[in-house]
Amino acid sequence: MDTPRYSILIPTLEAEADLARLLPALRAQSEWSASELIVVDSDSQDCTRQVLRREGLRVERIERGQFRHGATRNLLASYASAPLCVFLSQDALPAQAD
């Protein structure tokens, strides 16, 4: 697949614990293979960026003081290559199919 159908965009801050639940839940989604995941991390001091990179995911970093709810999401959207953007928070868990 050249261009993903969905860009999943997540701003993070100290998200290491949340990623242990979020990443498996995202991978369990039926459309996972048609998506890309992009994260903008606000200079976390835990292992958020390392966990994401180890999983082969795209991670961009901004300084904590640069975070603004709208501006950070606009930045995420500028990185997206898919025509549909899905914005999540780091603690949002997608529902699992039965």
Side-chain angles (χ1 to χ4, degrees):
M1 176 181 64
D2 294 322
T3 302
R5 293 194 314 231
Y6 310 95
S7 293
I8 301 169
L9 309 171
I10 306 173
T12 59
L13 173 63
E14 312 297 352
E16 182 179 5
D18 293 319
L19 294 174
R21 295 180 305 273
L22 177 59
L23 294 177
L26 287 172
R27 286 191 179 102
Q29 299 301 305
S30 61
E31 292 293 320
W32 174 252
S33 63
S35 66
E36 67 179 347
L37 175 62
I38 305 170
V39 174
V40 167
D41 182 68
S42 298
D43 204 20
S44 291
Q45 299 304 302
D46 65 2
C47 292
T48 297
R49 290 188 307 279
Q50 293 90 330
V51 168
L52 292 164
R53 288 186 181 126
R54 187 172 50 237
E55 297 291 326
L57 302 172
R58 180 172 177 185
V59 184
E60 301 292 336
R61 187 190 76 78
I62 60 172
E63 291 182 24
R64 201 172 285 212
Q66 292 178 313
F67 177 84
R68 301 288 181 269
H69 290 279
T72 302
R73 284 165 178 78
N74 285 339
L75 178 63
L76 276 160
S78 75
Y79 296 140
S81 60
L84 179 64
C85 294
V86 178
F87 291 91
L88 293 178
S89 61
Q90 67 191 39
D91 59 348
L93 289 178
Q96 299 298 310
D98 292 330

